[in-house]
Amino acid sequence: MCEANAYLWKDGEEKMIFENVDRVQPHEGGLLLEDIFGRRLFLDARIKELALVDHKIILEEIEK
Amino acid sequence: MCEANAYLWKDGEEKMIFENVDRVQPHEGGLLLEDIFGRRLFLDARIKELALVDHKIILEEIEK
């Protein structure tokens, strides 16, 4: 399976926040993440980088 | 390997535009895609959806 883990980039560090992510959909004001079990998480964040071979989705918070 | 293929969504259809994508970095005005061989492509596009289990990165053009 080629799911990835989502990390929040903050203060120069990556912190894992959601595992086994299958789908990611940008929406106004944030991102909807869905894992391989259908669990969903909405975050006030945007994609900073994807590194798929490393199974990483790196996110950063949206400043408000 | 868990690379994905990038598709451009246009007129209700997905058209594959770049294969074996490892890294994706959003930049102002577009996206930088890098494949597993280090080849790079810059596109005036944004991420519409990721479907990683299906190895898909679906993009849409940025309207100018």
Side-chain angles (χ1 to χ4, degrees):
Chain A
M1 293 277 276
C2 282
E3 70 278 8
N5 297 318
Y7 299 80
L8 193 64
W9 177 264
K10 202 172 178 184
D11 301 327
E13 291 184 1
E14 296 169 1
K15 184 182 164 194
M16 198 201 288
I17 49 168
F18 204 46
E19 290 183 278
N20 303 310
V21 177
D22 174 16
R23 290 177 183 270
V24 180
Q25 286 180 337
H27 287 273
E28 200 168 325
L31 289 174
L32 180 64
L33 282 71
E34 184 174 323
D35 73 9
I36 57 171
F37 309 108
R39 289 181 294 220
R40 292 178 167 199
L41 178 67
F42 191 86
L43 287 171
D44 295 339
R46 62 175 154 246
I47 295 169
K48 175 176 162 59
E49 185 173 1
L50 305 176
L52 299 177
V53 172
D54 293 334
H55 298 250
K56 281 188 173 182
I57 299 167
I58 302 168
L59 308 176
E60 57 190 354
E61 282 180 348
I62 297 172
E63 302 84 15
K64 292 198 171 169
Chain B
M1 293 276 277
C2 281
E3 70 279 7
N5 296 318
Y7 299 81
L8 193 65
W9 177 265
K10 201 171 178 183
D11 301 327
E13 292 185 0
E14 296 168 2
K15 183 182 164 194
M16 197 201 290
I17 48 169
F18 204 46
E19 290 184 277
N20 302 309
V21 178
D22 174 17
R23 291 176 183 271
V24 179
Q25 286 180 338
H27 287 272
E28 198 169 325
L31 290 174
L32 179 64
L33 282 71
E34 185 174 323
D35 73 10
I36 57 171
F37 308 107
R39 288 181 294 217
R40 291 177 167 197
L41 179 67
F42 191 86
L43 287 171
D44 295 339
R46 61 174 155 248
I47 294 169
K48 175 176 161 63
E49 184 172 2
L50 304 177
L52 299 177
V53 172
D54 293 334
H55 298 251
K56 281 188 174 183
I57 298 167
I58 302 167
L59 308 177
E60 59 190 353
E61 283 181 347
I62 297 173
E63 302 85 16
K64 292 197 170 170

